[in-house]
Amino acid sequence: MGNIGDDPREIEFEPLTQPTTAPVPEEVPA
Amino acid sequence: MTGAEFSDRPLVAGSVIGLRAFATLPDGTLVSPVFRSYQWTEGENVASCEPDSLAPSAFRLAATFARILGIAAPEHELLALRCGCGFYGYTDGSNDMMRTGFWMYPVAGLIEGYGRCVVGSRGFRAEKARLVALIADQPGAQYRPRLYEGRAVLTLVRTPNGVRQINAFTPGPPDWSAIRSRYPDVPVYPTTTAALAAHPFTSTEEIR
């Protein structure tokens, strides 16, 4: 554990993008 | 649906990127330097309270004293202001567990936090997190304590089927081959500067 600093506030984040480290899906031939 | 079912937390589109430290197990698995029962995975990591962790917990101590004194235990809601749980990341260039030397051979990395979060002036703790990058240099090595030198460390780990077991091992320098094998999709950068150039900190001051 650590100290995240002063004036902590509760915020909920909704990611805009896909997971940064998600595996790249294989391309499927049409 | 009642109003009580709505969260009063502000909802922000996006996520927060911060710097943090990891301890490593001999097989390359990254764990928290403090709560070593949690093993980081690629993809989404979800925080939970760890009442059976071997690590000290201010909340558990407070709950124990409350029980002894016969008073109400402190309220504990995951990722609330009074809770200490969650995945920690720092956005001001600091990295507490590297600096304090809680673990002999810490590894630094960047994580992306999201979901329910508590954001302060130095960083955040998050309900959910993904590994964004690992950093191969060891700026915290000079801080490593002698506490663990040559001694076995006990960790309580939870296997995929939910069984808890105690592992004992002697900490050593991180095995980067094992780490890369364990997290093949997480890029490893030579320095913190290089990692931050590719994945800049989130400005928590702007968010707050």
Side-chain angles (χ1 to χ4, degrees), chain B residues 97-167:
Chain B
M97 291 302 124
M98 296 291 283
R99 179 168 53 82
T100 58
F102 208 90
W103 185 252
M104 272 183 69
Y105 301 100
V107 168
L110 295 173
I111 63 167
E112 176 186 27
Y114 58 97
R116 294 158 62 102
C117 296
V118 176
V119 181
S121 59
R122 295 186 55 220
F124 61 87
R125 52 187 174 85
E127 173 192 13
K128 299 175 182 176
R130 299 186 183 104
L131 288 165
V132 172
L134 294 172
I135 301 163
D137 66 356
Q138 298 296 301
Q142 65 270 31
Y143 298 110
R144 68 190 190 201
R146 296 297 176 191
L147 179 63
Y148 298 129
E149 192 80 65
R151 298 177 181 173
V153 169
L154 299 178
T155 61
L156 186 67
V157 299
R158 185 173 298 130
T159 60
N161 59 4
V163 176
R164 294 174 176 81
Q165 61 186 34
I166 293 179
N167 283 0

Side-chain angles (χ1 to χ4, degrees), chain B residues 36-126:
Chain B
R36 293 193 291 272
S37 60
Y38 184 78
Q39 303 187 11
W40 282 75
T41 62
E42 288 194 314
E44 186 172 86
N45 293 267
V46 181
S48 62
C49 297
E50 295 285 344
D52 54 358
S53 168
L54 294 182
S57 160
F59 170 76
R60 281 193 298 129
L61 285 174
T64 299
F65 280 117
R67 189 164 54 245
I68 293 172
L69 296 173
I71 60 176
E75 187 178 332
H76 188 206
E77 177 191 357
L78 179 65
L79 266 300
L81 289 176
R82 295 177 61 186
C83 169
C85 300
F87 299 113
Y88 282 69
Y90 300 94
T91 57
D92 65 347
S94 62
N95 194 346
D96 277 14
M97 291 302 124
M98 296 291 283
R99 179 168 53 82
T100 58
F102 208 90
W103 185 252
M104 272 183 69
Y105 301 100
V107 168
L110 295 173
I111 63 167
E112 176 186 27
Y114 58 97
R116 294 158 62 102
C117 296
V118 176
V119 181
S121 59
R122 295 186 55 220
F124 61 87
R125 52 187 174 85

